[in-house]
């Protein structure tokens, strides 16, 4: 296996680990996947967050308020240049809020998000440097019926 392909494989594994930690709600594993300094994150609809404290607090908040989340990644592309890697993908997200009074999972909601994950190579492997996710806006049926404005 060539070195560039092994780098791509390692970045793909780190990217998969990032989403799997979110799905399991494993805050400790998620924290370990991020660099120790100079990190940034933009969640859909949120302001830009910077620094390890702000970024990890945001994930703790999301995990505390999300009973169920699953990511189906599509259109994944990995580029590695030196010790930096960029992963672009579409996050097809299925999530549910905390249980309602009856003890059942809250309603499931689907969301389509495009994401860019930037990784940096460290002595401990590839670590997340930045995550930026933006919602994909789709036209509603009403917009389609009325045509462009």
């Amino acid at each position: 296996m060539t070195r560039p392909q092994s780098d791509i494989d390692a970045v793909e594994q780190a990217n998969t680990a990032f989403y799997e930690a979110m799905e399991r709600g494993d805050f400790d594993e998620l924290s370990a996947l991020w660099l120790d300094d100079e990190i940034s994150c933009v969640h859909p609809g949120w302001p830009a967050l910077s620094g390890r404290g702000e970024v990890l607090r945001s994930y703790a908040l999301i995990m505390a308020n999300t009973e169920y989340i699953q990511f189906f990644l599509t259109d994944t592309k990995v580029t590695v240049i030196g010790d930096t890697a960029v992963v672009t993908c579409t996050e097809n997200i299925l999530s549910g809020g905390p249980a309602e009074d009856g003890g059942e999972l809250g309603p499931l909601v689907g969301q389509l998000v495009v994401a860019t994950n930037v990784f940096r190579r460290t002595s401990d492997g590839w670590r997340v440097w930045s995550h930026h996710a933006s919602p994909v806006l789709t036209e509603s049926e009403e917009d389609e019926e009325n045509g462009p404005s």
Side-chain angles (χ1 to χ4, degrees):
M1 182 179 297
T2 65
R3 180 167 170 77
Q5 185 60 46
S6 65
D7 284 344
I8 288 171
D9 292 343
V11 170
E12 286 175 344
Q13 289 173 358
N15 195 62
T16 297
F18 173 70
Y19 287 101
E20 288 178 350
M22 277 291 296
E23 288 179 345
R24 286 192 307 276
D26 188 335
F27 183 77
D28 291 337
E29 182 179 342
L30 184 85
S31 298
L33 293 169
W34 283 85
L35 288 172
D36 289 330
D37 56 0
E38 299 179 32
I39 63 175
S40 65
C41 180
V42 177
H43 298 293
W46 290 44
L49 305 172
S50 60
R52 191 166 169 84
E54 273 191 17
V55 170
L56 294 182
R57 271 191 297 279
S58 74
Y59 281 98
L61 181 62
I62 291 168
M63 289 178 174
N65 291 290
T66 306
E67 189 74 22
Y68 175 84
I69 192 163
Q70 188 170 11
F71 295 90
F72 299 95
L73 302 182
T74 57
D75 308 315
T76 303
K77 294 180 180 67
V78 178
T79 303
V80 177
I81 299 175
D83 291 336
T84 304
V86 175
V87 178
T88 57
C89 61
T90 300
E91 302 173 352
N92 302 270
I93 306 169
L94 184 62
S95 63
E100 296 177 352
D101 292 338
E104 294 185 20
L105 181 65
L108 292 177
V109 177
Q111 186 177 14
L112 195 61
V113 173
V114 290
T116 301
N117 298 320
V118 182
F119 291 84
R120 195 164 65 195
R121 186 194 324 260
T122 71
S123 58
D124 296 322
W126 292 95
R127 297 292 179 256
V128 183
W129 189 359
S130 181
H131 170 75
H132 187 128
S134 298
V136 175
L137 302 178
T138 58
E139 292 185 62
S140 70
E141 288 181 21
E142 183 179 310
D143 291 339
E144 290 173 8
E145 290 172 7
N146 294 331
S149 18

